[in-house]
Each structure stands twice: as C-alpha cells, then as structure tokens.
Amino acid sequence: MEEGSVFRSVLAILQWWGFNVTVIIMNKWIFQKLDFKFPLSVSCVHFICSSIGAYIVIKVLKLKPLIVVEAEDRWRRIFPMSFVFCINIVLGNVSLRYIPVSFMQTIKSFTPATTVVLQWLVWRKYFEWRIWASLVPIVGGILLTSVTELSFNMFGFCAALFGCLATSTKTILAESLLHGYKFDSINTVYYMAPFATMILGIPALLLEGNGIMSWFESHPSPWSALIIIFSSGVLAFCLNFSIFYVIHSTTAVTFNVAGNLKVAVAVLVSWLIFRNPISYMNAVGCGITLVGCTFYGYVRHMLSQQTPGTPRTPRTPRNKMELLPLVNNDKLEGKV
C-alpha cells in the first residue's frame, strides 16, 4: 500500500473516531451534566440537523450526487426503513440516559449476534458453524459485562438491547427494501432523516414538551445549553459524512477492526470524563466482546472469499459497502 494511501486511511479512521466519540460523549453530557433528560427531543434535534446538513451537501454544495428515488418507493421502501432507523436512534439515546457509555457501547457490540439469530429464525438463512462459533465470545463477553456492571440499570440495559435488535432489523430489511439502490451514508440521511423527524416530532412534543419548558425556566443558563444540544446534532451529521470518507479510504477488514477499536476508545474517553466505576471483570468482559466482534468480522470476510457456488454457504459481504447496507449504526450511532 502506498504511503499516501496509508496516511489517508489513518486520517479517515482518526476523524471517524473523533466524531463518533465526541457525539457519544456530548449526548451523555447532555443527559447527565445539563440535566436535559429528554432523549426523544435530542434525537429529533439530531434528525433536523442531519436533514439540513444532507440537503446542503447534496443540493447546495453538490459534494455528493443525489441518488434519485421514485416517490412511490420513498413511501413503500424508505419510510419503513426510516421508522426502524428512528427507533434505533431513540433507543440508543434512551440507553445513554440510564447507563454508562462503556456499558452501552459494549451492549451495542451484541448486534452481530442479534443479526445472525434474526436471519436464522425469521428468514431461515443458513450459516456455517464458524459463524456460530465466532458469536460465542461476543455473547460470553456481554454476559460477563452485564453481570459485573456496577452501574446496572434494567431500563437502560433493555433499551440498549432492543436497540441492537432494531439495528439488526434495519440491516436485514435494507437487503430487501432497498434492493436496487446503492445508498451511501449521505444519501441515506438525506432520505431517512426527514421521515424520522416527521415520525418523532409529535411524540417528542406531546411527551416531553412540558418537561422541556420546565427545564428551560429552571436551568441557570439554558441558551448555552441549547447551543451544546444543537452542536451535538451538527456533529452527528458530520459523523455520517466521516463514515462515508472512511468507507472509501479503507478495506473491509480495516473498517471492521477500526470499528471495534473505536468502541474501546469511546469506553476509555467516557471513563476519563465521567469516572463511572468499572470493575476488573467488567473490563475483561468488554475486552472479550470486542475481540469476539473482530473475530466475527474476520470469519465473515474469509467466507466472503469463497467461490460463489460453494454448497450451503450463506451469502456474506464481499466488500466494505455490503458490510454496512445502511451505514449508521454508529452511527448514525450516536448518533444521529
């Protein structure tokens, strides 16, 4: 690999890590330090900022070509995906309100397991034994982390776990609903964020409107706090743009490894800032989970190199774009 290419890949990964970790930390700061305990409204702000940002990038600056989607397909295909996407982001923010970043990020690493199980149970898809074996350390690590978590909260834990299911459902549905459309992260946001804003706007107003008014009246410096909240929305959109950059600057294997190391960076930075208690066994469980995720990605990559006609071999991602049919676990993993 050429020196310039290596430098570009490293730079892409570092800026991706920077945006991702910053968005996660800011969201946690908003809930914990600013006492703005309204995850629906925070998610809605992120969707609005992402809608505006995607429009500017595609329509005004023309940095990305628009992938044209017929009006009928927008409602028949994009809207259902947007609904699941909305649930995924909201559950991530809800979990951040109740549990530490370290615990939340570890649970999100459970997504490969929920994806495989859903495809096997609902879609009757066959997987080789090596795929199932690669899930063992992920499940074991999650169990160890959950049992030894010192700041365990059942509501936050369930929100994060169901968030994994929503992420898996989004990924699986993308294969069928978005068949024929090769979406990148920016076009994904361009079409889905407005729908997500429409879906979430009224519930956020009805369920959290009065609480926000009370918070605004009682908070010592509400305007500066609102600047932080909207800044997190802008950074959430920048995160999606950084995902587009890193996907086009790295290989599938590098992206997988960097993604798992990103979780470790987020855990470390969050501990340095919030100082949430982490036991030795809890850290071990987190490490096992991340190693398991890396091993799972490696197994998927190895299987993808097999001859296409191999009997009873499931179709696995052949390149980095197929690894993320809808990029934004993360991220809009924080996210939007």
Side-chain angles (χ1 to χ4, degrees), residues 31-146:
F31 295 131
Q32 184 170 319
K33 301 297 185 179
L34 299 183
D35 201 34
F36 190 84
K37 303 182 183 301
F38 309 104
L40 297 184
S41 299
V42 170
S43 301
C44 202
V45 167
H46 287 190
F47 292 144
I48 292 172
C49 293
S50 294
S51 300
I52 297 172
Y55 181 86
I56 292 174
V57 168
I58 293 177
K59 291 289 191 176
V60 179
L61 301 179
K62 300 187 184 301
L63 297 178
K64 279 293 298 178
L66 175 65
I67 297 176
V68 179
V69 179
E70 298 295 332
E72 180 182 354
D73 280 348
R74 294 186 187 187
W75 288 99
R76 187 167 57 91
R77 298 187 180 191
I78 304 296
F79 183 79
M81 288 298 306
S82 301
F83 185 78
V84 179
F85 164 69
C86 181
I87 293 175
N88 176 34
I89 299 304
V90 169
L91 288 174
N93 283 330
V94 169
S95 66
L96 266 181
R97 176 185 169 183
Y98 291 98
I99 59 178
V101 172
S102 56
F103 190 30
M104 177 264 199
Q105 286 288 291
T106 305
I107 296 173
K108 284 185 68 66
S109 300
F110 194 54
T111 301
T114 56
T115 302
V116 170
V117 171
L118 277 178
Q119 288 180 312
W120 177 64
L121 285 176
V122 181
W123 282 269
R124 301 298 179 183
K125 186 174 182 178
Y126 169 81
F127 291 95
E128 284 196 5
W129 67 270
R130 283 174 289 182
I131 291 290
W132 293 105
S134 68
L135 297 178
V136 173
I138 299 178
V139 176
I142 292 292
L143 289 175
L144 179 59
T145 304
S146 301

Side-chain angles (χ1 to χ4, degrees), residues 170-190:
K170 179 188 69 176
T171 302
I172 295 169
L173 288 179
E175 296 181 6
S176 55
L177 290 179
L178 300 184
H179 178 70
Y181 292 105
K182 294 184 179 180
F183 279 111
D184 53 68
S185 58
I186 305 302
N187 274 276
T188 298
V189 172
Y190 178 84

